[in-house]
Amino acid sequence: MTKRLFDLAAASAGVVLLLPLLAAIALWVRLDSRGPVLFRQARVGRGGQLFEILKFRTMAAEDPDSPVPQRQLTVGRDPRITRAGHFLRKYKLDELPQLFNVLGGSMSLVGPRPEVPRYVACYPPAVRDLVLSVQPGVTDLAAILYKDESCILGQAADPERAYIETILPTKLGYYVQYVRERSFWGDLRIIFRTLGALAH
């Protein structure tokens, strides 16, 4: 209960304080390229329930008539990323709309980052049950350590394979550690580490 109350208070304060910034980013995204301001994607939440994660759109809008769906990994200097998108991704500003996910109850400020169903299917069953026993978060230790994930994948010969076989298992280790050791003070430390990482 304490975690949920903290999430509500902190996310509400964040939305109020950042409202001018959110409005400015929304306008920039709208003017920079064709497409909606927000990117919405199905992610797997607590108990395996699907929810719609919110981000500011950082890529060119997908052609609905294209027979080839967009891949779900962003690799290196992905040509789909817009001019505004490069800046927003660098400073993780595209993640700010997830404050509304927190207010709605589908996410927490801190917790294992939610994955798309495709990659959750790669979780070992016991790990899957443990990781999905808590609310997914806007940030966690893995998100801090892999804040340059797309650059790492850009150096791989097969980014999809590198993600599934190397990065994802490491992330899962941090997710399991979080679930087993989580605490209010631990969440605060992760939030401050996240702010520190974004400042560099």
Side-chain angles (χ1 to χ4, degrees), residues 11-12 25 28 34 51 75 84 121 162 198:
S12 297
I25 293 174
W28 188 17
R34 178 184 59 82
F51 73 97
V75 179
L198 295 179

Side-chain angles (χ1 to χ4, degrees), residues 128-149:
R128 180 184 186 277
D129 291 342
L130 184 64
V131 171
L132 298 185
S133 69
V134 300
Q135 211 77 330
V138 176
T139 188
D140 75 325
L141 193 55
I144 298 169
L145 298 175
Y146 281 102
K147 69 187 185 89
D148 296 320
E149 180 183 297

